[in-house]
Amino acid sequence: MSKIQEFLRYNRQTMLREIGDAGQEKLKKAKVLVIGAGGLGCPILQYISTAGVGTIGIVDFDKIEIHNLHRQILYTENQVGQPKATSAKSVLESFNPLITVTAFEEKLTIENAKRLIEAFDIVVDGSDNFATRYLVNDTCVTLGKTLVYGSILKFEGQLAVFNHNGSKNLRDLFPEPPNPKDVPNCNLNGVLGTLPGIIGTMMAHETLKLILELPTLKNELVHFNTLAWRFNKLKF
């Protein structure tokens, strides 16, 4: 693609003085790994890819199911039964042919976490369980990787940036994961389809700001109640 076409694709964001051509080059050189290509992962992947993040990895071992479609916006009914990671890769490449996308069709485990994470600059955690969240956090701490964290339930979502330039990590906020029996989840409690879109877009926004070296969350947890439109930022 010519420089003219690249300019036309990105010029609405490079017009911002905080970004410009230099910022776009930072996005192009950035390497971001997204854990999970589900409700949060779909909007994260959509926006970082169209913004021009040059290298994107997707970790997800799951397959598309019909009940995913009300919130997992990268997929269609024709893709039910197909792997999420490879399906998402195909969609992102159609969105933006300038980027490189790698699909890791495997479950994140203690055995493979270091191998999957170490080649990327920033990790964005769109997983839906505490075991994976703590594994991602601990691996990022070990490898010195910045982590963008988000979670959702019903009408509420959370957002934080961990382990960035000496900032705190998930265990500084919540030292140990809760008992799985005590943790509600979307499978049992439900979620309105727009909520992961809202929180996932916020996570993508924070990821882009990190790459562009703009002000980002530091030792702060954002809690967003979308039913009452209450937005709280808690320092830790």
Side-chain angles (χ1 to χ4, degrees), residues 82-98:
Q82 297 178 14
K84 288 183 181 179
T86 52
S87 298
K89 167 183 163 66
S90 177
V91 174
L92 299 189
E93 290 172 339
S94 71
F95 284 165
N96 190 348
L98 295 176

Side-chain angles (χ1 to χ4, degrees), residues 54-91:
T55 301
I56 297 173
I58 307 168
V59 178
D60 199 306
F61 70 99
D62 209 357
K63 289 182 169 54
I64 300 164
E65 299 182 60
I66 190 73
H67 65 80
N68 299 147
L69 300 181
H70 90 291
R71 66 196 184 282
Q72 298 183 20
I73 55 172
L74 293 181
Y75 314 124
T76 69
E77 193 161 339
N78 292 334
Q79 294 170 299
V80 168
Q82 297 178 14
K84 288 183 181 179
T86 52
S87 298
K89 167 183 163 66
S90 177
V91 174

Side-chain angles (χ1 to χ4, degrees), residues 178-185:
N179 188 321
K181 296 179 181 179
D182 299 329
V183 179
N185 60 63

Side-chain angles (χ1 to χ4, degrees), residues 30 42 44 53 114 125 144 151 211:
C42 282
I44 294 165
V53 171
K114 180 177 182 294
D125 185 6
S151 66
I211 297 167

Side-chain angles (χ1 to χ4, degrees), residues 151-163:
S151 66
I152 55 171
L153 181 68
K154 294 185 178 179
F155 295 95
E156 299 181 16
Q158 297 180 347
L159 168 70
V161 174
F162 294 131
N163 204 47

